Amino acid sequence: MHLPITQRSINCLALALFGAALVAYGKQRDPLPSWTEGPNKASIIEFVETVTTPGSPKFVPESRRIAAIDNDGTLWTEQPLYFQALYLLQRIKEIAPEHPEWKTKEPFASVLQGNLKKALSGGEKALLEMTLATHAGLTEDEFSDSVRRFLSSARHPTTGHLLTDMVYQPMLELLDFLKANNFKVFIVSGGGIEFVRIFSENLYGIPPERVVGSSLDAKYEFRDGQPVIVKQASIDLIDDHAGKPVGIHRYIGRRPILAIGNSDGDFEMLEYVTTGDGPRLGMIIHHDDPEREFAYDRDSSIGRSARVLDEGPQRGWKIISMQSDWKVIHPEEKK
Amino acid sequence: MHLPITQRSINCLALALFGAALVAYGKQRDPLPSWTEGPNKASIIEFVETVTTPGSPKFVPESRRIAAIDNDGTLWTEQPLYFQALYLLQRIKEIAPEHPEWKTKEPFASVLQGNLKKALSGGEKALLEMTLATHAGLTEDEFSDSVRRFLSSARHPTTGHLLTDMVYQPMLELLDFLKANNFKVFIVSGGGIEFVRIFSENLYGIPPERVVGSSLDAKYEFRDGQPVIVKQASIDLIDDHAGKPVGIHRYIGRRPILAIGNSDGDFEMLEYVTTGDGPRLGMIIHHDDPEREFAYDRDSSIGRSARVLDEGPQRGWKIISMQSDWKVIHPEEKK
């Protein structure tokens, strides 16, 4: 059969070539443009290529390509105060009229007097007390409406940016890179699971069911004849330190192969993840950029990182320097 | 430009037509061939079409197309005993040498004497006691290995089939239909979350992180210098009755739009799901087929269903008759 070369068959061929070119372009394009060329960026790309190359002895099937990523200080800023603490403070002021006893009761009294330093001097315990007092009794819808309202306008105390703009551009690129390589990406946060679930899909493209976090107990009740879930004044899970592997076990049910954190609260998560069989990658984001973000580690009350920096390197964890590994910090720097 | 009709362009056209035909065929092909034509099957198909039709006032975006489906008695058989109870009984026999005290201690003594009826006369409490005694202290890997070994050969006491063959063919088709329409399908089981997670991906194509179930507390520990998760002898969540909406809230974080169950333990889940805003579908599988499966409802100690049958219809829940709505029960009937 003679098949003459016609205009249509040339069109067909051109289309096929264009498609192949697109694929090749996609493979060659830098997936992490905000990361400085160097050993850390190379480690990430090599790890992803290794576990996704069929036939490679280190190939990992898609169902086991699970990544566990901390939120505060890893995906967005956590200084000078966890953003959920900013929400707590605003909510205390909002509902103070219903709690006249707070005028003389710490840490609430200090919050209402505007003395944040004193209010937070009680550390995690004070934060927890404020969480229970402000969250308990809310239905799931009331809580999410309240957080949504807060996030729609809340601004960062020192930069003045919307809190939701304080995400890290290099981490957004890394999330996209992992997702494009069929990783299941989970947030594993010390913060409240319901708080993070409100914005995880919009900010990170991570749906609520892929968020692991701290939680209060919950109860099935009726309000105005309608069934609702109500938050209780008791702790279900503190998803920090040894609670992170427990949270991973509870919510994910399989040991991830990649973990990223920034503080000692992430130590056990990285330990659990990187001691499993097969290829593993652990990374610690080091906040060493006082110009563009914040510089803190072993002396900080928020996001304290000492053990992860001391023991991380000998465990093979990559220490990511925000100053030298990241070309930009927040998305707005790209403008 | 003159474009002559050539063999190649005819080939192109034929291919395009074939593609279009395939799409049309896909749309017209019966997605639920094991379901009898009738109002129940029509309700399912109409519901899925309604929520997936863009522009429809009842359109539901993919992120909110969440289905919550019970396991025992809904996706596979639960008579004459929950399959996890069969596992428990075998495990008690396996580890009895390490527990000489069981020879005289109920319900263990009766299990070891082969008197199942007496062993189970303590109902849920006895099952729970056996669960704690046999599961606590196991690492997550030890437990999953043990369940895998059991399921690889365990057979049903009356049919002699592998337990893993006792799934319901019509439900497998429904799972596929929902997934093809971009539903996120979750199992919400009264059974153990870790038990169900072992087989959910193989049997139902549902990954472990989409399984909600009952659980024991867990702890992060070291065994032989390696970090592991160890099951504790205390209850974390009983995912049954009012625990099902709580489990959904905990693991999924959003109210599903579709729920399927078979027993009174599913009542609150269906209530929670079907009282939300927008289109909702609730279904109860009624075990009324003594020939091909089992017939039981209000008088059964396992999978008791009275309230769901009494109140379901007035709540708009569809009562699925296994006898008349399902052409086949288990996949092997198709042979």
Side-chain angles (χ1 to χ4, degrees):
Chain A
M1 183 167 58
H2 174 65
L3 293 175
I5 295 168
T6 64
Q7 183 62 42
R8 180 157 294 183
S9 61
I10 289 172
N11 285 350
C12 267
L13 185 68
L15 205 67
L17 286 174
F18 181 67
L22 264 183
V23 169
Y25 173 76
K27 280 201 176 163
Q28 283 167 9
R29 195 172 52 94
D30 182 355
L32 303 172
S34 300
W35 291 69
T36 314
E37 297 305 322
N40 283 333
K41 177 173 178 171
S43 294
I44 297 171
I45 292 176
E46 192 201 339
F47 177 79
V48 171
E49 278 179 359
T50 302
V51 302
T52 56
T53 302
S56 150
K58 294 185 172 175
F59 177 76
V60 176
E62 290 180 13
S63 65
R64 297 202 161 263
R65 280 180 218 160
I66 295 170
I69 305 183
D70 172 55
N71 183 47
D72 294 312
T74 299
L75 289 175
W76 73 1
T77 292
E78 63 184 348
Q79 294 282 4
L81 208 57
Y82 298 124
F83 295 176
Q84 190 170 4
L86 296 174
Y87 165 73
L88 274 182
L89 298 174
Q90 175 171 312
R91 183 147 174 87
I92 286 173
K93 288 174 192 162
E94 262 177 28
I95 64 172
E98 303 162 29
H99 295 273
E101 75 279 11
W102 285 356
K103 280 183 192 151
T104 55
K105 191 184 172 192
E106 291 298 352
F108 307 97
S110 293
V111 173
L112 298 175
Q113 287 154 21
N115 189 341
L116 273 198
K117 201 170 172 188
K118 190 172 169 201
L120 298 168
S121 61
E124 303 283 323
K125 195 174 156 286
L127 280 178
L128 185 62
E129 196 177 345
M130 291 191 277
T131 303
L132 296 179
T134 53
H135 289 36
L138 289 180
T139 67
E140 57 180 340
D141 288 345
E142 286 167 352
F143 179 72
S144 61
D145 289 348
S146 161
V147 174
R148 248 181 266 277
R149 266 199 316 276
F150 168 76
L151 287 176
S152 69
S153 63
R155 289 182 178 273
H156 190 268
T158 63
T159 67
H161 293 303
L162 282 173
L163 295 181
T164 49
D165 284 341
M166 299 295 288
V167 295
Y168 301 136
Q169 174 64 23
M171 292 303 292
L172 296 183
E173 292 167 8
L174 180 52
L175 295 179
D176 284 344
F177 183 45
L178 294 173
K179 285 184 255 174
N181 282 283
N182 297 316
F183 274 75
K184 296 181 181 184
V185 181
F186 288 80
I187 294 176
V188 180
S189 173
I193 188 168
E194 282 188 77
F195 185 80
V196 179
R197 279 174 167 172
I198 302 299
F199 56 85
S200 64
E201 189 133 42
N202 275 349
L203 258 60
Y204 310 128
I206 296 177
E209 69 271 15
R210 292 209 175 152
V211 175
V212 179
S214 298
S215 53
L216 301 182
D217 287 325
K219 214 173 148 191
Y220 186 63
E221 289 181 6
F222 283 79
R223 295 257 174 108
D224 303 323
Q226 291 299 310
V228 290
I229 302 288
V230 179
K231 293 164 89 74
Q232 305 295 298
S234 50
I235 294 168
D236 173 31
L237 175 69
I238 299 284
D239 191 53
D240 205 18
H241 287 284
K244 285 209 172 189
V246 170
I248 287 170
H249 169 73
R250 176 198 274 193
Y251 285 95
I252 309 178
R254 285 193 278 213
R255 202 184 284 222
I257 62 168
L258 187 160
I260 313 175
N262 73 296
S263 77
D264 284 354
D266 299 310
F267 184 89
E268 290 82 356
M269 171 169 79
L270 268 86
E271 177 181 63
Y272 176 63
V273 167
T274 59
T275 50
D277 292 333
R280 304 275 154 173
L281 181 60
M283 295 198 287
I284 294 293
I285 311 295
H286 188 200
H287 293 263
D288 59 357
D289 194 329
E291 298 283 316
R292 299 184 302 169
E293 210 238 5
F294 294 91
Y296 59 99
D297 45 40
R298 58 190 71 243
D299 297 323
S300 177
S301 63
I302 285 177
R304 180 171 188 271
S305 49
R307 194 176 174 199
V308 286
L309 297 175
D310 295 339
E311 295 186 28
Q314 75 213 40
R315 289 170 177 266
W317 303 348
K318 309 298 173 193
I319 310 297
I320 309 296
S321 159
M322 289 179 76
Q323 187 170 108
S324 56
D325 280 313
W326 288 2
K327 293 183 198 166
V328 298
I329 306 285
H330 299 299
E332 70 273 15
E333 294 176 32
K334 292 199 327 186
K335 285 175 199 162
Chain B
M1 184 165 58
H2 174 64
L3 293 176
I5 295 169
T6 64
Q7 184 61 44
R8 182 157 290 184
S9 62
I10 288 172
N11 285 350
C12 268
L13 185 69
L15 205 66
L17 285 174
F18 180 67
L22 264 184
V23 170
Y25 173 76
K27 282 199 176 164
Q28 282 167 9
R29 193 173 52 93
D30 182 354
L32 303 172
S34 299
W35 291 69
T36 314
E37 299 303 324
N40 282 333
K41 177 173 179 172
S43 295
I44 297 171
I45 293 176
E46 193 200 339
F47 177 78
V48 171
E49 279 180 357
T50 302
V51 302
T52 56
T53 303
S56 150
K58 293 185 172 175
F59 176 76
V60 176
E62 289 179 15
S63 65
R64 296 201 161 264
R65 279 180 219 158
I66 296 170
I69 304 182
D70 173 56
N71 182 48
D72 294 312
T74 298
L75 289 175
W76 72 1
T77 292
E78 63 184 350
Q79 293 284 3
L81 208 55
Y82 297 124
F83 295 176
Q84 191 170 3
L86 297 173
Y87 165 72
L88 275 182
L89 298 174
Q90 175 171 313
R91 184 147 173 86
I92 286 173
K93 288 174 192 163
E94 262 177 27
I95 63 173
E98 304 161 29
H99 294 273
E101 75 279 10
W102 285 355
K103 280 183 191 153
T104 54
K105 191 184 172 193
E106 292 296 350
F108 307 96
S110 295
V111 172
L112 297 175
Q113 287 154 20
N115 189 343
L116 274 198
K117 201 170 171 187
K118 192 173 168 201
L120 298 166
S121 61
E124 303 283 323
K125 194 173 155 286
L127 280 177
L128 184 62
E129 196 177 344
M130 291 190 276
T131 303
L132 296 180
T134 54
H135 289 36
L138 289 180
T139 67
E140 57 180 340
D141 288 345
E142 287 167 351
F143 179 72
S144 61
D145 288 348
S146 160
V147 174
R148 249 180 267 275
R149 265 198 317 275
F150 169 76
L151 287 176
S152 68
S153 63
R155 290 184 178 272
H156 190 269
T158 64
T159 67
H161 294 301
L162 282 173
L163 295 181
T164 50
D165 284 340
M166 299 295 287
V167 296
Y168 301 135
Q169 174 65 23
M171 291 303 291
L172 296 182
E173 293 167 7
L174 181 51
L175 294 179
D176 284 344
F177 183 45
L178 294 173
K179 285 184 257 175
N181 282 282
N182 297 316
F183 273 74
K184 295 182 183 183
V185 181
F186 289 80
I187 293 177
V188 180
S189 173
I193 187 168
E194 282 188 77
F195 185 80
V196 179
R197 279 175 167 171
I198 302 298
F199 56 84
S200 63
E201 189 133 41
N202 275 349
L203 259 60
Y204 310 128
I206 295 176
E209 70 270 16
R210 291 209 175 151
V211 175
V212 180
S214 298
S215 53
L216 301 182
D217 287 325
K219 214 174 148 190
Y220 185 64
E221 288 180 9
F222 283 79
R223 294 259 174 105
D224 304 323
Q226 291 299 308
V228 291
I229 301 288
V230 179
K231 294 164 88 75
Q232 307 294 299
S234 51
I235 294 168
D236 173 31
L237 174 69
I238 299 283
D239 192 52
D240 204 18
H241 287 284
K244 287 211 171 188
V246 170
I248 288 170
H249 169 72
R250 175 197 274 193
Y251 286 94
I252 309 178
R254 286 194 278 214
R255 202 184 285 220
I257 63 169
L258 187 159
I260 314 176
N262 74 296
S263 78
D264 284 355
D266 300 311
F267 185 90
E268 289 83 355
M269 172 169 79
L270 269 86
E271 177 181 63
Y272 175 63
V273 167
T274 59
T275 50
D277 292 334
R280 305 274 155 172
L281 180 60
M283 295 199 287
I284 294 293
I285 310 296
H286 189 199
H287 293 262
D288 59 356
D289 193 328
E291 297 284 315
R292 298 184 301 169
E293 209 238 6
F294 294 90
Y296 59 99
D297 45 39
R298 60 192 69 244
D299 298 321
S300 176
S301 63
I302 286 176
R304 179 173 189 271
S305 50
R307 194 177 174 199
V308 286
L309 297 174
D310 294 339
E311 294 187 28
Q314 75 214 40
R315 290 171 176 266
W317 304 348
K318 308 299 172 193
I319 310 296
I320 308 298
S321 159
M322 289 179 77
Q323 186 170 108
S324 55
D325 280 312
W326 288 1
K327 292 183 199 167
V328 298
I329 306 285
H330 300 299
E332 71 273 15
E333 294 175 35
K334 290 197 335 186
K335 285 174 201 163

